[in-house]
Amino acid sequence: MIFNIPFIAVVAMIFIGLYAVLFKRNLVKIVIGISIIESGVNLFLITLGYREGGVVPIFTSAPSDVASNAPGSMVLPVPQALTLTSIVIGVAVLALMLSLIMHIYRHYGTLDVRKMRRLKE
Amino acid sequence: MNWFETITMHSPALIVAVPLLAGFLTPLVSRINDTVRNLFVLIMLSITGILIAILGYDVLTNGIRTYVFGGGNTVITLPSGLMFHVRIIFEVDSMNIFMVIITIILAIIGIVYSLSFMKKEDGLDKYYTIVLILVTSTLGMELTGDLFNFFVFLEISCITSCALIAFWVHKGEALEAALKYIVISSIAALFFLFALGLLYAQYNALNMATIANAIQFSIIDQAALILIIAALTMKAGLVPMHMWLPDSYGEAPPSITFILIAATQAGLYGAFRVIFTLYGNVFNSINLAYVNLVITANTIGWVLVALAIITIIIGVFMALIQTDFKRLIGFTAVAEIGYIFLGIGVRLASKYVQYSGSSATAIAFSEYSSIALNGSIFHIINDCLDIGLLFLVAGAIYYATKETSLDKMGGLARNMKYTTVFFIIGLLAVSGMPPFNGFASKLMLYESTYQLNPIITIIAVLASILLLAVFVKVFYSAFMGPEQQKFKEVKEVPKGMLIAMGAVVVIIIIFGLFPNLVINNIVQPAADALTNYTTYISKVIPGVI
Amino acid sequence: MSEMSKIVRTLSNITFPFIMVFGLYVIAHGHLTPGGGFQGGAVAASGCVMLIVAYGSTWIFEKIKVSRLSAFESLGALGFIGVAFFGLIFGGYFFNNFLVRTGILFNIIPETGFTGSEFNTAGVLPLMNFAVGVKVIAGVFAIVVVMAYASSLKEWKQ
Amino acid sequence: MSTRNIVAAVMFSVLAVFFILTALMLSFGAPIKSQMDDYIITHTQNETGTNSAVTTIVFDYRGFDTLGEATILFGAVSGVLMIFRRVKK
């Protein structure tokens, strides 16, 4: 079980994020929650690709003894590529959400969910 | 190889690439002037439409077509006999074609409508850019055969729809609806990504056919299934997470809502694909190994039926009490989504009965389960057209009177004759009245549901009748009644909007008069494509099954 | 955002070229070392954002037209999809890496280890990296400029 | 305590149990299968002339995803610029 600690960390991050999204009343905190969930999922993907004792799958910086028995001694590259895509997606979503929140703040003068009409439910 | 064959071969990629290229070019083209930009957008979408027609003809006659991005072999075989995919694959079968046709019809009509509806707004070059990207993402979701690619397009669709919902930034409600939409759909997308990670950890593959071929339905797979279905039903607007749908449909510009409907249906398509193809060997065939588990076709089917019934009831009853025209139609859209999921649920549950019952019931239920699937698929296109038409009418009324509240309308039939006729057709179609298209699909749903449990049918029929009542009320309060002073100067909307609404009405009437034509030519092949999941798999992994 | 003190401005003047060069290095060596268009673009864009912090968003907003940044972003995206279309034309498939292992220039298999002399490998990948890099710099910079400028306007303050 | 809170708490606890159970079943450090990644690591230098396997995947094997990613950034920038446009009142 002790070897599952990275996965426990992933789950913990997802929970912290979900908690913020579900129970917090401040819009910025909700956005922070989504960001934390996303980090959790990214960490999950990275964690899936880890191979015991593996090095980064880049031949420029790999020691020659590692590179010679190549696939077995390197971590899996696909999850890293997926994470890369996912991070950029996260940045884009974050930018859009924050600009919406700026507009909402200008409109209502508050960030409290309870003061708004549609977001209340 | 002649040029037509070449175009057909590359069309799966071009269908996505052409509107994307158009989206990237629009900011540059719109520096010239507005007319050029509008023409450019229309022409690019028409080219996409032609490509879709070519591909659709090919797929419906010759079967599944695949496209490998980057070329090379579709499948890599190791000496040990393992086969897998490295590159992204688009795999197009009749179901994909069905969805893509819906999307492009809605996109072109939506663009034609917005050419006159949005004429007086600012920021139109960004508007058209984002609309093109939204259409691209919807097409991409519906064509792709790769799970991660589906996720990427899901996120594109989420971002672009959010930006478009917030188009009227001076309205606070629009901003709130957009924020709600993006929060819910990005959480849904992250759930999807998590589930994808679970599947990747199991099978080291991202291609749908490869995973479908290897699926074991272990506990992790079941967890992934639940997460994916939860994510996609969030995106499609099933009950626990339906609140974003009326908000965003109600607050977005109507031309956008019309295209958003297609984007929502893409999430629905994802649910179809995941249930019937990715987990096809569990839900689509006789596999006694999976009968004793907790999560079977039966439980998933009944859960979906229950959620669908709740969705229908909530949608209809919330629609009853709304006073805002567009929000009212939004809740109707929720109810219609419920009908589609009802079809899926009935299909799964009766498929289970078919395998566990005696041979006589087996034959009967096999027939009814396929009717349920057909009805469900047919209802997708009817839902798009009917709800879309109502939104276009609401937009036309807003354009003419600057009013969306039903209490303040009245007597509009005198000045807006065409719109009134279109609205009557829309209301009859959406509530499932005979000569129109909603009737055909709803009848199929009722018929199959009745075999499973008559109570469900009764609820569904009653909800449909209530829907009629809701819209008759709307009709009287908006179009009938005494002529109001402030609406005396109201004129009929411009020709572009009338053409767009007229096109939808023509399609609705054709579908309503000749439902068999549609069912035999596109709905039945789509249902067959979903049912024969082995064909889907063996197309990209030769020699399997 | 108003401009900051002279110390900050001078320091940001000094560090700005280094950040940009590092960003361009990461973009250019994306196919050999960790990094690539997105990462390098983000580094370079953060260098530009540092200027906003130091000089104030109003000054930057007047110096740089956001529509021009948006056009640059369009060009980057067009470059990317253009390379993909060239793959369709010359290689026979969308996104085909039609340059790799061809001709005199690219017919090299890179060696393992720090050799540092094999920049001309990988076919179209450096081109894509470059297009994405331009796109990310322009896009992220445009987002930050617009948001910073909008938040500094009077009508946004309560 | 409002209904919203109760619903949220129920959803939260269901998800909690669900995710924890899932996480406990995975194994860390030893991927069950790795045929696709092994293929990529082995062939990255020969097929694409790239030393970095991650870049190979991002731009070559799964280049279309990256196009989507670029599109997302493009869409977000267009969206932000559209939201912050000057609206005439």
Side-chain angles (χ1 to χ4, degrees):
Chain A
M1 277 304 155
I2 191 75
F3 303 110
N4 261 333
I5 278 185
F7 290 113
I8 304 290
V10 166
V11 172
M13 281 178 86
I14 292 178
F15 284 154
I16 296 168
L18 273 179
Y19 171 78
V21 172
L22 290 174
F23 294 105
K24 287 291 169 189
R25 304 294 191 180
N26 188 315
L27 286 178
V28 175
K29 284 182 183 165
I30 289 175
V31 169
I32 292 174
I34 288 177
S35 209
I36 294 175
I37 297 179
E38 196 184 296
S39 315
V41 176
N42 288 343
L43 181 63
F44 175 65
L45 287 179
I46 285 286
T47 314
L48 285 179
Y50 182 67
R51 195 148 26 188
E52 192 103 43
V55 300
V56 61
I58 292 174
F59 286 94
T60 310
S61 57
S64 55
D65 58 324
V66 172
S68 55
N69 53 3
S73 60
M74 288 180 168
V75 298
L76 311 187
V78 172
Q80 302 195 12
L82 303 189
T83 312
L84 199 56
T85 311
S86 161
I87 287 173
V88 177
I89 291 171
V91 169
V93 173
L94 201 61
L96 202 55
M97 281 197 287
L98 286 177
S99 53
L100 279 176
I101 288 175
M102 280 172 72
H103 267 274
I104 287 178
Y105 184 72
R106 182 181 72 154
H107 214 270
Y108 292 98
T110 175
L111 288 175
D112 197 332
V113 177
R114 282 165 294 186
K115 303 262 167 60
M116 288 159 205
R117 223 176 111 207
R118 296 267 195 261
L119 285 170
K120 221 185 282 170
E121 292 112 5
Chain B
M1 196 191 288
N2 60 355
W3 61 272
F4 189 77
E5 178 60 25
T6 316
I7 288 182
T8 318
M9 183 188 142
H10 290 295
S11 55
L14 288 176
I15 287 172
V16 179
V18 168
L20 193 55
L21 183 70
F24 290 158
L25 275 173
T26 311
L28 302 177
V29 171
S30 57
R31 291 185 153 217
I32 306 171
N33 70 33
D34 287 3
T35 324
V36 175
R37 177 198 65 208
N38 295 347
L39 266 179
F40 175 76
V41 172
L42 260 186
I43 288 172
M44 282 310 216
L45 275 181
S46 315
I47 291 174
T48 316
I50 292 167
L51 285 170
I52 286 174
I54 292 172
L55 179 66
Y57 177 75
D58 181 70
V59 167
L60 289 178
T61 48
N62 299 335
I64 301 175
R65 192 166 264 280
T66 57
Y67 192 86
V68 187
F69 282 88
N73 296 326
T74 41
V75 60
I76 285 160
T77 315
L78 293 183
S80 59
L82 264 174
M83 286 188 283
F84 56 93
H85 302 273
V86 174
R87 296 179 185 275
I88 293 172
I89 292 181
F90 270 19
E91 188 167 3
V92 190
D93 65 10
S94 318
M95 181 66 190
N96 303 64
I97 284 298
F98 175 75
M99 296 305 296
V100 164
I101 289 173
I102 297 176
T103 309
I104 199 69
I105 289 174
L106 261 64
I108 291 178
I109 293 177
I111 291 284
V112 170
Y113 186 83
S114 38
L115 287 186
S116 41
F117 181 78
M118 304 295 283
K119 212 170 203 167
K120 292 167 189 160
E121 305 278 342
D122 307 340
L124 279 185
D125 33 332
K126 295 279 181 262
Y127 170 88
Y128 284 113
T129 311
I130 301 179
V131 166
L132 281 170
I133 296 179
L134 175 61
V135 172
T136 310
S137 73
T138 314
L139 293 174
M141 274 166 83
E142 287 160 359
L143 285 178
T144 187
D146 191 282
L147 275 180
F148 191 74
N149 205 238
F150 186 87
F151 163 76
V152 170
F153 282 119
L154 190 70
E155 283 279 13
I156 301 178
S157 140
C158 152
I159 281 189
T160 45
S161 342
C162 163
L164 288 171
I165 291 167
F167 184 77
W168 284 335
V169 279
H170 48 88
K171 282 165 66 182
E173 285 89 4
L175 295 170
E176 290 176 37
L179 190 67
K180 195 185 220 175
Y181 177 81
I182 196 169
V183 165
I184 287 178
S185 50
S186 58
I187 289 178
L190 288 172
F191 278 5
F192 189 90
L193 187 58
F194 193 88
L196 187 156
L198 289 176
L199 288 176
Y200 174 81
Q202 297 281 298
Y203 306 110
N204 200 266
L206 291 166
N207 185 276
M208 286 192 201
T210 315
I211 296 178
N213 182 34
I215 207 126
Q216 304 283 329
F217 214 54
S218 63
I219 298 188
I220 295 181
D221 291 347
Q222 297 173 22
L225 173 71
I226 292 172
L227 275 177
I228 291 180
I229 289 185
L232 291 174
T233 49
M234 270 170 158
K235 173 82 183 156
L238 203 65
V239 118
M241 283 296 156
H242 67 287
M243 278 315 296
W244 66 267
L245 201 142
D247 285 355
S248 41
Y249 278 18
E251 299 304 336
S255 50
I256 290 308
T257 311
F258 195 65
I259 302 173
L260 264 185
I261 294 171
T264 313
Q265 307 295 347
L268 242 168
Y269 156 78
F272 270 99
R273 184 56 86 197
V274 165
I275 291 175
F276 292 111
T277 302
L278 195 61
Y279 286 82
N281 102 27
V282 186
F283 294 132
N284 229 339
S285 69
I286 309 170
N287 205 331
L288 293 176
Y290 304 135
V291 168
N292 295 323
L293 297 172
V294 179
I295 297 172
T296 55
N298 199 24
T299 41
I300 294 274
W302 277 104
V303 166
L304 282 181
V305 167
L307 287 178
I309 287 293
I310 300 171
T311 312
I312 293 172
I313 292 172
I314 287 185
V316 170
F317 277 94
M318 291 298 283
L320 266 177
I321 56 172
Q322 297 302 317
T323 53
D324 185 284
F325 196 3
K326 274 154 71 188
R327 251 175 98 74
L328 188 149
I329 308 170
F331 277 105
T332 318
V334 173
E336 297 293 309
I337 293 286
Y339 278 103
I340 298 171
F341 271 103
L342 186 65
I344 308 181
V346 168
R347 151 84 187 187
L348 289 177
S350 52
K351 198 79 184 167
Y352 185 82
V353 176
Q354 179 191 337
Y355 293 135
S356 53
S358 67
S359 63
T361 46
I363 294 165
F365 271 97
S366 129
E367 194 179 321
Y368 287 118
S369 66
S370 66
I371 291 179
L373 190 59
N374 281 359
S376 183
I377 293 174
F378 192 22
H379 202 67
I380 292 180
I381 193 162
N382 292 342
D383 166 37
C384 286
L385 293 170
D386 302 349
I387 299 285
L389 177 64
L390 289 175
F391 271 113
L392 293 188
V393 170
I397 294 174
Y398 177 78
Y399 185 88
T401 65
K402 296 282 170 245
E403 197 63 73
T404 57
S405 173
L406 285 172
D407 300 338
K408 293 173 188 160
M409 293 178 196
L412 290 176
R414 285 180 181 77
N415 292 329
M416 303 173 74
K417 295 199 173 54
Y418 290 107
T419 313
T420 314
V421 173
F422 294 154
F423 181 74
I424 294 172
I425 291 171
L427 87 88
L428 290 177
V430 85
S431 46
M433 284 293 125
F436 299 103
N437 60 355
F439 174 71
S441 55
K442 279 188 178 171
L443 186 68
M444 288 163 90
L445 287 174
Y446 298 152
E447 194 182 349
S448 55
T449 321
Y450 189 77
Q451 288 304 310
L452 193 68
N453 196 333
I455 298 170
I456 305 172
T457 322
I458 293 168
I459 296 173
V461 174
L462 280 180
S464 215
I465 294 167
L466 268 178
L467 220 51
L468 182 64
V470 170
F471 279 105
V472 169
K473 185 196 89 179
V474 172
F475 180 66
Y476 272 100
S477 64
F479 292 97
M480 290 294 155
E483 189 172 19
Q484 294 199 14
Q485 201 60 40
K486 59 180 172 181
F487 295 141
K488 217 156 203 171
E489 299 301 312
V490 165
K491 283 197 202 76
E492 186 60 86
V493 289
K495 277 209 184 71
M497 291 159 77
L498 286 180
I499 290 171
M501 289 189 279
V504 182
V505 164
V506 167
I507 300 174
I508 284 180
I509 290 175
I510 290 175
F511 279 20
L513 292 181
F514 311 103
N516 280 331
L517 200 72
V518 185
I519 291 172
N520 292 336
N521 285 325
I522 52 176
V523 172
Q524 187 65 45
D528 288 345
L530 284 179
T531 320
N532 301 330
Y533 71 103
T534 48
T535 326
Y536 187 89
I537 296 172
S538 60
K539 185 70 185 177
V540 288
I541 307 180
V544 170
I545 308 173
Chain C
M1 230 183 284
S2 55
E3 65 175 9
M4 293 181 81
S5 69
K6 183 138 195 176
I7 302 173
V8 178
R9 275 181 282 149
T10 316
L11 270 178
S12 68
N13 272 350
I14 296 170
T15 43
F16 177 70
F18 291 100
I19 295 177
M20 291 307 277
V21 167
F22 180 67
L24 291 178
Y25 162 78
V26 172
I27 291 174
H29 287 254
H31 56 295
L32 296 174
T33 56
F38 284 102
Q39 296 89 326
V43 169
S46 73
C48 299
V49 170
M50 184 180 69
L51 290 186
I52 300 178
V53 175
Y55 284 90
S57 50
T58 324
W59 186 78
I60 296 280
F61 192 80
E62 281 156 11
K63 283 274 170 197
I64 294 166
K65 288 214 173 64
V66 173
S67 61
R68 199 162 293 167
L69 279 181
S70 170
F72 259 105
E73 208 212 351
S74 256
L75 283 180
L78 278 177
F80 193 14
I81 202 173
V83 172
F85 267 107
F86 279 128
L88 175 62
I89 294 165
F90 297 116
Y93 280 96
F94 200 61
F95 262 103
N96 194 314
N97 194 341
F98 60 99
L99 283 179
V100 74
R101 310 295 305 280
T102 54
I104 311 159
L105 199 56
F106 285 108
N107 198 3
I108 300 171
I109 299 173
E111 289 170 26
T112 306
F114 292 99
T115 47
S117 61
E118 290 154 345
F119 188 70
N120 55 337
T121 53
V124 297
L125 264 62
L127 299 178
M128 286 181 172
N129 265 327
F130 185 70
V132 168
V134 170
K135 196 185 129 48
V136 172
I137 295 175
V140 173
F141 193 33
I143 289 181
V144 178
V145 166
V146 167
M147 284 171 83
Y149 180 69
S151 64
S152 72
L153 287 179
K154 275 233 175 67
E155 54 172 312
W156 287 74
K157 291 186 176 140
Q158 292 297 314
Chain D
M1 199 147 167
S2 66
T3 15
R4 182 201 140 107
N5 269 6
I6 296 168
V7 172
V10 169
M11 274 172 64
F12 187 70
S13 37
V14 168
L15 282 171
V17 174
F18 185 78
F19 275 110
I20 288 176
L21 287 181
T22 317
L24 288 179
M25 268 179 297
L26 296 165
S27 61
F28 175 66
I32 303 166
K33 282 182 177 175
S34 62
Q35 73 275 36
M36 181 164 77
D37 300 81
D38 289 348
Y39 177 87
I40 290 170
I41 294 177
T42 324
H43 291 79
T44 173
Q45 284 182 312
N46 280 328
E47 272 190 6
T48 62
T50 315
N51 260 350
S52 159
V54 180
T55 310
T56 310
I57 296 164
V58 168
F59 284 103
D60 194 321
Y61 289 119
R62 303 188 69 81
F64 195 62
D65 277 351
T66 311
L67 182 60
E69 183 187 355
T71 314
I72 286 185
L73 202 55
F74 184 83
V77 173
S78 308
V80 170
L81 294 186
M82 188 184 85
I83 289 174
F84 280 101
R85 75 189 189 274
R86 292 206 174 84
V87 186
K88 37 178 189 211
K89 289 281 163 66

